[in-house]
Amino acid sequence: MTMNRRSFLATTAAATAATGTPMILRAQPKEYVLGASLPLTGPFATAGQLVAPAFAMAAKLFNDEGGIAGTPIRFVTEDSGYVPQNALNNYQRALASEGKNMIGYFADSTGAMKLIAPELKGENARIMGSTSFASELADPATHPYQYLSGPTYQSQFDILLQNIKNEGGQKVAFIFSNTEFGRDPIEHGRKTAEELGLEVVLEESTKAEGADIPTHVTKLAQSGADHCILQGYVTGVWPQLIGGARQFGLPVKFKGTFWGMEKLIADRITAEAGPFLEGYEGVMPYRYFYDREDAPRYQQYAELSKAMFAGTPLENYMSTWAIQTMCGLEIAMKAFRDTAEAGQELTADNIAETLANISDWDSGGFFGGPVSMENNAIGTGRVYGYNPEDGLFTPKSDWFTV
Amino acid sequence: MGQFVQFAINGLMAGAIYALIAVGIVSVYKATKVVNFAHGYLIMFGAYFYFTFAVIVPGQPWAPAWLASWQPGWMVEMRGELPMFSPVAAVLDWVANLPRILLGLFGALVCNAILGRIIERVLMRPLMGQSIFAMIMVTVGLISILSGAAQLIWTADAASVPYIAPNMPIRFELFGTMIFLFGTDLVNMAVALLLFGGIVAFVKFTKGGIAIRATAEDQSTAYSMGISVPKVFSRAWVLASTTGAIAGAILATRNGISPSLGLFGFSVLAIVLMGGLDSYVGVLIAAMVVGVLEAMTQWKMGGGWAEIVPYVTVLVVLVWRPHGLMGQKEVERI
């Protein structure tokens, strides 16, 4: 092709138009990336393997909806083995390989969040959600890029204590694992109990695994508590404590927080050891998956699950752990989309500002009504109780906002 | 006073299980001079074998229904509307589980014995005559292999297993205080102490036991006296694995089953050092002391201290007696 005056002018005009495009359009990648570390092996492999498919579902759902202002999003998940250092390595690797295309990250523990937090500076900052409800993270001054997809453990204690007060309880025992996770809300819980006029008659810390059940149950019996809050356990210790107390005929009502509220675990305990979890209650930030009449978003998940996970246990039930992850991804997506729609570049600072200002958000049924971000957390939840006969957790209170 | 007795009994019950775990470490050390760092993971395998034969196998569609739950008519009628934790209901529930409990214990004993034999034959025997340090390092390597293998075979899922004995509540008044005990814990304690006593008697009074003791004194002399040292090694590992299988099954009933069970071995190692690596009696005393101290500290000072105080005591004892309470002082001859 020979270059004449006309073609020269046309080429020059096209080149000028291209180079003169506003910065935001030039900076927009072909796809965005959200990285994640999941415990696919190690002590929480069960939870990790139940959560991993949620990312596949999220990719399908969010991209079918148009991604982020028309740009698709890709999820990259890696195994952490539930080791925070591995999660940090995964984060750094994802940052190096995906660069600016990576606009968010999802970590699998409080430890990982804390370890990665100092890395979130300047060019390396990314918005970050996780499985953690650690109270320490809900502070935009110290953790501006990290958020919780529900209430902190302290808020969960507030909800439970208010519920105990409403039930006419007077003496409360706190039994918790001797871990950061276990100790998180204890001091705060003591203060809240005092404000509500409840007497804390026992603060008992146990080993996170292999606790000496007879000794702890004996102390609970001697304390004279009418209610007992269990904190800092996932699959072990809490069922044995409840079983032990029931054997001794203690009339104590047991309450748990998010990680002690999974139906799959309660069902398994019931199948193996009998229906002794009858009456067990706890705080849950979200609706259970089967309670989706007023949750249009859950209905979408259910349809997708049927299509994507046919023939697997995920086809009909999504664990609370997966719901927590999906809620975290929904919050991140809302912040990404709102930032893009406002014509702002998707930098960590812009996204963090949008996320911190989420207010009256209709989550599509995760929570009881519209919710707002406060201190990068959503302080809402309600009390559910377990019925071993039908294996369902059903609501025992209204939604509390704290 | 009543409360003191309550926590002392709780501590003794925990101590008896520590002793049963410790007996395996002492047996291997006595025969081979090898400190088996992987003993906790042998116990974990015992627990998983018990889980396999008491929960997974009876739950298979091809397994007969009576294996999962034996429910003869007379028992169903007796069980009727009894409350879940009444003593009679606890016994009846245990009887219903008895076929799978027995299968679980039998399977755990056999499989763990085979595992112990394989470890000894494939990993330890080729190192006979080499430095003890190399053999100890092999047991350290075994920790990763056993822990990884368990997660591959059974996943990291936590699960629960049926109690070995009826778990009825036992209540009685003592010095004006109501004492609470779990039936199954008392039986566990009795089983642990009986096994411990049996092993001590075996080592003291049988030919095989004398061979173990002779090998412990001096392998070359034992050889020259016609004792088959490889056989002694093998016997010690099988002994450690089978007691470990029972200890694992008991631990699994108390704490549920998960890969973290292997970590118990490390706390028990401290107890073994306190008692004396080559002394059954010393280790029994140390296990009981640590068990009671843990319970007492939990009672008076809370859980944060309960994980520290007993092991500070272990350190103090070791500073005072570096070979443990009743360990034999090694004499170096030049």
Side-chain angles (χ1 to χ4, degrees), chain A residues 120-386:
Chain A
L120 307 179
K121 278 181 192 152
E123 289 282 294
N124 289 344
R126 299 291 184 274
I127 205 75
M128 183 176 282
S130 77
T131 54
S132 173
F133 287 130
S135 309
E136 187 187 334
L137 300 176
D139 183 354
T142 54
H143 297 82
Y145 304 110
Q146 297 184 323
Y147 67 94
L148 310 190
S149 30
T152 62
Y153 294 123
Q154 292 184 355
S155 299
Q156 293 182 37
F157 255 53
D158 288 347
I159 291 168
L160 286 178
L161 288 165
Q162 186 60 56
N163 176 250
I164 289 170
K165 177 77 183 167
N166 295 350
E167 282 180 350
Q170 291 175 331
K171 293 180 175 181
V172 192
F174 299 157
I175 300 188
F176 52 97
S177 65
N178 191 16
T179 59
E180 198 177 359
F181 171 29
R183 289 188 298 266
D184 181 308
I186 301 304
E187 198 181 329
H188 176 85
R190 197 185 306 136
K191 284 180 196 151
T192 307
E194 198 182 323
E195 283 163 20
L196 290 170
L198 296 167
E199 187 187 352
V200 179
V201 289
L202 176 70
E203 287 181 25
E204 178 80 342
S205 89
T206 74
K207 289 180 185 171
E209 303 272 356
D212 183 2
I213 303 298
T215 295
H216 301 306
V217 173
T218 308
K219 286 186 77 175
L220 180 62
Q222 289 166 349
S223 74
D226 47 53
H227 286 79
C228 174
I229 301 181
L230 302 166
Q231 163 71 15
Y233 310 105
V234 180
T235 52
V237 179
W238 70 268
Q240 287 95 344
L241 279 167
I242 297 176
R246 292 290 170 260
Q247 272 175 303
F248 281 174
L250 300 184
V252 184
K253 285 189 86 173
F254 285 94
K255 311 239 177 204
T257 53
F258 175 79
W259 287 98
M261 292 293 288
E262 175 47 52
K263 166 186 159 51
L264 294 173
I265 300 293
D267 287 351
R268 193 185 297 163
I269 291 161
T270 304
E272 188 50 53
F276 68 84
L277 291 182
E278 173 83 57
Y280 171 64
E281 293 179 354
V283 63
M284 173 54 63
Y286 320 110
R287 283 190 166 88
Y288 280 85
F289 194 56
Y290 43 78
D291 178 19
R292 48 181 178 260
E293 201 178 301
D294 296 320
R297 199 57 165 167
Y298 279 20
Q299 290 166 16
Q300 280 180 288
Y301 291 173
E303 277 176 33
L304 274 173
S305 295
K306 276 211 178 334
M308 294 177 72
F309 310 127
T312 74
L314 298 169
E315 183 181 351
N316 298 313
Y317 177 72
M318 187 185 269
S319 68
T320 50
W321 310 325
I323 286 177
Q324 183 203 31
T325 300
M326 283 305 294
C327 184
L329 297 179
E330 295 273 5
I331 292 168
M333 283 301 287
K334 175 161 177 59
F336 298 152
R337 285 168 169 166
D338 286 358
T339 308
E341 277 166 24
Q344 291 180 305
E345 203 178 342
L346 292 187
T347 62
D349 284 313
N350 289 340
I351 300 166
E353 195 184 337
T354 311
L355 190 140
N357 290 318
I358 289 176
S359 100
D360 285 332
W361 172 47
D362 178 2
S363 63
F366 279 90
F367 307 100
V371 291
S372 302
M373 272 281 170
E374 258 185 58
N375 292 325
N376 286 359
I378 298 172
T380 186
R382 76 171 155 186
V383 176
Y384 280 81
Y386 183 67

Side-chain angles (χ1 to χ4, degrees), chain B residues 91-299:
Chain B
V91 173
L92 292 175
D93 289 344
W94 173 73
V95 173
N97 281 329
L98 201 52
R100 64 185 183 130
I101 293 170
L102 293 174
L103 179 69
L105 287 174
F106 179 73
L109 278 169
V110 172
C111 291
N112 239 33
I114 293 170
L115 177 67
R117 188 75 212 275
I118 290 173
I119 291 171
E120 190 277 327
R121 194 71 189 82
V122 177
L123 297 173
M124 307 311 289
R125 200 175 293 184
L127 291 176
M128 264 175 77
Q130 304 294 317
S131 90
I132 294 292
F133 184 71
M135 294 167 104
I136 293 175
M137 283 300 106
V138 167
T139 69
V140 173
L142 255 181
I143 292 174
S144 303
I145 296 170
L146 292 178
S147 152
Q151 292 194 35
L152 268 179
I153 302 168
W154 292 283
T155 77
D157 250 358
S160 44
V161 292
Y163 290 111
I164 288 171
N167 198 19
M168 66 260 227
I170 297 168
R171 297 187 189 84
F172 58 93
E173 212 177 293
L174 192 75
F175 303 116
T177 307
M178 185 62 82
I179 305 286
F180 297 107
L181 297 174
F182 288 106
T184 191
D185 280 335
L186 281 179
V187 177
N188 288 346
M189 181 165 79
V191 169
L193 292 177
L194 275 174
L195 272 172
F196 192 94
I199 287 163
V200 174
F202 166 77
V203 173
K204 251 202 147 85
F205 303 116
T206 67
K207 232 174 155 183
I210 291 167
I212 288 181
R213 280 160 52 208
T215 311
E217 284 297 323
D218 192 315
Q219 283 181 21
S220 314
T221 315
Y223 251 130
S224 61
M225 299 297 286
I227 291 171
S228 168
V229 174
K231 245 188 196 166
V232 169
F233 273 37
S234 175
R235 206 172 287 155
W237 273 92
V238 169
L239 193 67
S241 310
T242 44
T243 52
I246 304 291
I250 290 176
L251 271 182
T253 61
R254 279 172 68 98
N255 306 316
I257 198 156
S258 76
S260 61
L261 277 181
L263 298 172
F264 265 90
F266 295 115
S267 28
V268 174
L269 206 57
I271 293 170
V272 173
L273 291 174
M274 180 181 172
L277 265 166
D278 53 1
S279 167
Y280 286 115
V281 179
V283 160
L284 177 67
I285 295 169
M288 293 304 184
V289 167
V290 168
V292 171
L293 267 177
E294 269 185 353
M296 292 295 170
T297 317
Q298 181 77 43
W299 174 35

Side-chain angles (χ1 to χ4, degrees), chain B residues 63-99:
Chain B
W66 57 264
L67 188 59
S69 185
W70 184 52
Q71 301 275 7
W74 60 269
M75 215 165 79
V76 175
E77 204 175 305
M78 249 181 109
R79 179 73 174 81
E81 291 298 305
L82 285 172
M84 188 180 171
F85 290 120
S86 73
V88 180
V91 173
L92 292 175
D93 289 344
W94 173 73
V95 173
N97 281 329
L98 201 52

